[in-house]
Amino acid sequence: MPIAKRWVVKPQGSAATVDVLSAALDIPPVLANLLVQRGIDTADEARRFFSPSLDDLHDPFLMKDMDAAVERIERALATGEKIMVLGDYDVDGTTAVALMYIFLRRMGHERLLFYIPDRYTEGYGVSHKGIDYAKRQGVSLIIALDCGIKSVEKVEYAREKGIDFIICDHHLPGDTIPTAVAVLDPKRTDCSYPFEELSGCGVGFKLAQAYAMRNGVPFSELERLLDLVTVSIASDIVPLVDENRIMAYYGLRRLNENPNKGLLSIIKICGLENHTITIDDIVFKIGPRINAAGRMAMDDSAETSGGHAAVNLMIERDTETAAEFGNIIDDFNSDRKSIDRSVTQEAHDFIEANPRLKERRSIVVYNPKWMKGIVGIVASRLIETYYRPTVVLTMSNNLVTGSARSVPGFDLYQAVESCADLLENFGGHIYAAGLTMKPERVEEFMRRFHEYVERNIDPEILVPQVEVDAPLLLSDITPDFRRRMALFQPFGPGNTAPVFMTGGVSNRGDAKLVGAEREHLRADFTQREKPNTTIASIAFQQPALYEYILKGGAVDICYSVVENHYRGMVTPQLRIKDIKKVSR
C-alpha cells in the first residue's frame, strides 16, 4: 500500500504585494504569488528572475586562490607542460573533466590527458594509482575537479613526485586544506566568494572564466561549455538559484539549439531530439545514462573504465564517433537498470520478511553480493517505498561499503558521523552519504545507526509531505497561464516546479492503468464548478484509487502542470503528486 501523504499549503504572499506584482507584470495573481513565495517582491526583481543575464555572473577572482590557479595554468601552457585533468566518475565529475579538457584544448594546448578513477578498484576522488599514472605519463600539473578538498596526504604524495595540484571542488573541506598550488572551493571558510552552491563542474567553469578574462578569450568560448555545466547542475541536484540559475538558463538553450556532439548523441538516444529539453529530462534521462558508465564498468585500466567512456563521449568532435560512444553508454545504462531492479527487489523481499526491521524508523540492509555501483540507487528506491533514512551495504575490496539516503528534515550526515569510530571512511551531506567499514563492524554499525535515528528523528518526518504552492481551478490553466508559468523555468531545488491543488475533480469513465505492470494511472479530470474544462493527467505509481475514479468518484488532486509532447502536438498535462478521495 502507498504511504499516506500530508498536504501542506505554503504561506501565501501578502495580498497587496501580489496585486501590485500582478498588475505591473500583467500576470495572474496566482503566478504573482509564486514570485512572492520565492522572495521576489518587486517588478524589477521579477524581470531579472524571468530574464537571467550572463552579465550577472560573479567575478571569478573573488574566489580564494583563483589568481594562483590562473597563473599556474598560464605557466603550464606557455612552457608546454603535460597536464592531466582528473575528476570523479559521476555526472558532475565527468562533465567537469570534459569541460576543462575541451577548454584547454581550445586554448591550443596539446599535451593533455584526463583520468577518471575506477569506482571498484580506487573509489572516489584522488588516488595514489591516479598520481602514479600521471607520473608515468610525464605529467607535472593535475587539475582535480569535483574532488580533492580532503586529499591532504595524496596532494603531498604528488608534490614529492614533482607534480603540482590545482583543486576545483565544491564539497565541505576538512580541518586541513591540502597544500596544492590553488584550492578553489566556495565552501572554504576563508573564501569570500558570494555563492557557495556551485557544482564541481561549475567551479571548473569559474576557473575557465577567470583564465579567459585574464587572457582576452571571448566569452563566447565559455558559453559553448554551458550545456555541460547545466547537465552537472541538474544531475548533482544543487540549488537552481543565483549563478546556477543563470548558467542553467543559457545551458538549456544550448542543449536545445546546438549541444555538445556527445550530449547530442545521448539526446537522440533518449528520444529528446525534437523535444524542448528541461531540467527533468537531464535528471531522469540524460544524467542517468552518463552516470551508468561509472557504475557499471569494472576494468582496471584508466583508459577503458566506464567513467573514461563518459568523458570520451563528451569531448568527441566527430559526430559518428560520438554516436558510437553514446550507444556504449546506453548499453551501460540498460545493464544498470536491470541490475538495480533485481537488487531492489531482493532488498524489498528481505525487509518484508523481517517485521522487526519494518517497524524501525530507519533501514539498514547488507548483502555482500550486491554491486557497489548501484547501492545508492537502491537506497533511493527503498525510500520511495518505506520513507525512512536508509543505508544499503555491500562488499568491495574486502571492505563493506555503502550508500545512505535520507528523507527531508533529517540530517543523515550527522547520523553517519555519530558512527565515525566504526568507519574507515565516510563523506556526504545532509541527505546522502557514502561510507566504508571493516566487515566485523557491520553489526555494531547497524545497532548504533538505528539507535541514533530512533533518538533523533521527529516521527512527523516519517510521514511524506507534499508542499502545495496554491489552490487552482482547472479552468485557470489556459495557454496564456502556461506560457507565463514557463518564465519560472528552469525548475529545480530552490526553484521547484509549482505544485497546485484542485478539489472535487472527477473522471468520466475513461481512466486507465498503463505501464508494464499497470502501475500508473492515466485519467482526464473535470472540475465540478467548470464542467467544460477537462485536462489529461498522469499519476505515476498511484493505481490504488483506479476503480473509484473510473466510476466517477470525486477526488482532490495536487499536481504540477507540464507539457505532453505526442505526435507533434503539445498539450497540457497534470503530473499528479497525490490523490485523495473527497472527504466532505
Side-chain angles (χ1 to χ4, degrees), residues 4 27 54 69 92 154 163 171 173 204 229 232 419 422 523 551 553:
I27 60 175
L54 291 166
D92 193 14
K154 287 162 187 165
I163 301 173
H171 296 99
V229 181
S232 82
C419 305
L422 300 174
K551 293 173 183 175

Side-chain angles (χ1 to χ4, degrees), residues 2 88 124 150 160 182 195 212 251 262 273 276 278 302 326 392 417 423 426 494 499 512 514 520 527 554 564 570 578:
D88 190 24
Y124 167 80
K150 292 186 178 180
E160 292 170 357
F195 184 56
E273 191 176 8
T276 301
T278 65
V392 180
E417 191 176 40
L423 305 176
F426 70 96
V499 175
K512 62 179 69 174
V514 297
H520 312 308
Q527 194 166 13
N564 184 43
V570 181
D578 197 28

Side-chain angles (χ1 to χ4, degrees), residues 114-257:
F114 68 86
Y115 187 93
I116 304 294
D118 182 83
R119 180 188 291 265
Y120 296 90
T121 61
E122 295 170 83
Y124 167 80
V126 180
S127 68
H128 290 101
K129 182 178 175 181
I131 294 168
D132 290 341
Y133 175 80
K135 181 64 176 176
R136 290 195 304 273
Q137 298 298 318
V139 167
S140 54
L141 174 63
I142 294 176
I143 303 175
L145 298 125
D146 190 36
C147 61
I149 192 63
K150 292 186 178 180
S151 301
V152 176
E153 182 271 328
K154 287 162 187 165
V155 168
E156 178 61 24
Y157 177 76
R159 190 185 65 79
E160 292 170 357
K161 291 182 174 291
I163 301 173
D164 286 339
F165 255 89
I166 294 172
I167 292 170
C168 302
D169 207 345
H170 68 133
H171 296 99
L172 284 169
D175 295 333
T176 304
I177 300 295
T179 54
V181 170
V183 179
L184 309 178
D185 188 333
K187 289 190 175 72
R188 287 181 62 167
T189 57
D190 56 350
C191 179
S192 58
Y193 193 72
F195 184 56
E196 292 188 0
E197 300 299 334
L198 292 167
S199 65
C201 186
V203 177
F205 179 85
K206 300 306 293 186
L207 175 54
Q209 183 188 7
Y211 180 92
M213 290 170 63
R214 183 68 58 80
N215 290 275
V217 178
F219 193 83
S220 57
E221 286 291 330
L222 298 170
E223 277 194 78
R224 294 165 65 184
L225 302 169
L226 286 175
D227 50 2
L228 292 169
V229 181
T230 302
V231 171
S232 82
I233 287 170
S235 300
D236 221 51
I237 320 181
V238 292
L240 261 168
V241 298
D242 204 288
E243 281 193 300
N244 287 341
R245 176 174 169 78
I246 296 169
M247 291 189 289
Y249 180 90
Y250 287 93
L252 282 171
R253 181 180 293 180
R254 185 154 191 93
L255 272 175
N256 281 290
E257 295 174 358

Side-chain angles (χ1 to χ4, degrees), residues 266-574:
I266 297 296
I267 288 167
K268 290 178 177 178
I269 287 168
C270 295
L272 296 172
E273 191 176 8
N274 298 311
H275 173 78
T276 301
I277 297 166
T278 65
I279 292 292
D280 269 4
D281 292 321
I282 299 172
V283 171
F284 296 109
K285 296 180 180 179
I286 297 171
R289 284 172 165 81
I290 297 171
N291 230 346
R295 294 183 186 280
M296 298 303 299
M298 294 173 282
D299 195 309
D300 284 350
S301 167
E303 291 83 356
T304 55
S305 68
H308 195 94
V311 175
N312 269 329
L313 168 81
M314 291 182 279
I315 67 173
E316 182 53 55
R317 290 177 280 197
D318 178 73
T319 302
E320 290 185 8
T321 307
E324 291 172 8
F325 280 122
N327 289 328
I328 292 170
I329 296 295
D330 196 46
D331 288 343
F332 280 133
N333 189 53
S334 297
D335 292 343
R336 187 273 305 168
K337 286 195 290 187
S338 174
I339 293 171
D340 90 53
R341 276 195 298 265
S342 172
V343 172
T344 299
Q345 189 61 52
E346 287 180 28
H348 181 271
D349 292 345
F350 177 80
I351 294 165
E352 291 298 313
N354 288 270
R356 190 178 173 194
L357 181 56
K358 283 186 68 176
E359 292 167 4
R360 291 187 180 275
R361 294 179 176 177
S362 56
I363 287 173
V364 185
V365 289
Y366 169 50
N367 186 325
K369 295 180 181 179
W370 290 338
M371 179 178 281
K372 175 184 175 183
I374 52 88
V375 291
I377 296 173
V378 174
S380 297
R381 297 266 193 272
L382 293 177
I383 283 179
E384 290 173 8
T385 303
Y386 300 103
Y387 205 75
R388 63 197 74 176
T390 299
V391 184
V392 180
L393 301 169
T394 188
M395 180 76 79
S396 178
N397 292 332
N398 300 315
L399 286 173
V400 172
T401 183
S403 288
R405 297 291 184 269
S406 193
V407 294
F410 182 73
D411 191 330
L412 179 81
Y413 186 83
Q414 286 190 359
V416 173
E417 191 176 40
S418 73
C419 305
D421 57 303
L422 300 174
L423 305 176
E424 298 299 301
N425 195 16
F426 70 96
H429 51 78
I430 183 171
Y431 292 131
L435 58 151
T436 58
M437 71 189 87
K438 293 177 179 175
E440 60 268 23
R441 292 180 171 172
V442 170
E443 191 172 331
E444 179 64 7
F445 171 81
M446 288 181 173
R447 184 187 68 79
R448 282 178 41 187
F449 183 85
H450 286 313
E451 282 187 357
Y452 181 93
V453 176
E454 194 75 25
R455 289 195 311 270
N456 291 281
I457 199 165
D458 181 342
E460 271 204 4
I461 288 174
L462 298 176
V463 179
Q465 178 175 299
V466 180
E467 289 194 336
V468 177
D469 290 90
L472 192 69
L473 296 174
L474 295 187
S475 57
D476 290 335
I477 306 173
T478 64
D480 183 65
F481 176 89
R482 289 157 44 208
R483 186 164 51 251
R484 295 180 184 271
M485 194 177 72
L487 296 172
F488 284 78
Q489 294 192 39
F491 296 128
N495 182 43
T496 53
V499 175
F500 302 108
M501 176 177 67
T502 302
V505 303
S506 58
N507 175 259
R508 294 176 176 174
D510 59 355
K512 62 179 69 174
L513 292 177
V514 297
E517 299 177 12
R518 291 168 53 83
E519 70 271 35
H520 312 308
L521 171 65
R522 179 174 288 162
D524 294 345
F525 282 124
T526 299
Q527 194 166 13
R528 292 180 199 167
E529 294 89 337
K530 301 284 184 178
N532 293 325
T533 301
T534 301
I535 299 184
S537 71
I538 182 72
F540 294 112
Q541 305 291 338
Q542 296 179 68
L545 293 178
Y546 165 64
E547 295 288 348
Y548 173 79
I549 289 170
L550 185 65
K551 293 173 183 175
V555 292
D556 297 335
I557 55 175
C558 59
Y559 55 87
S560 293
V561 181
V562 299
E563 289 184 343
N564 184 43
H565 295 253
Y566 183 68
R567 293 182 177 175
M569 298 286 290
V570 181
T571 55
Q573 184 183 62
L574 310 183

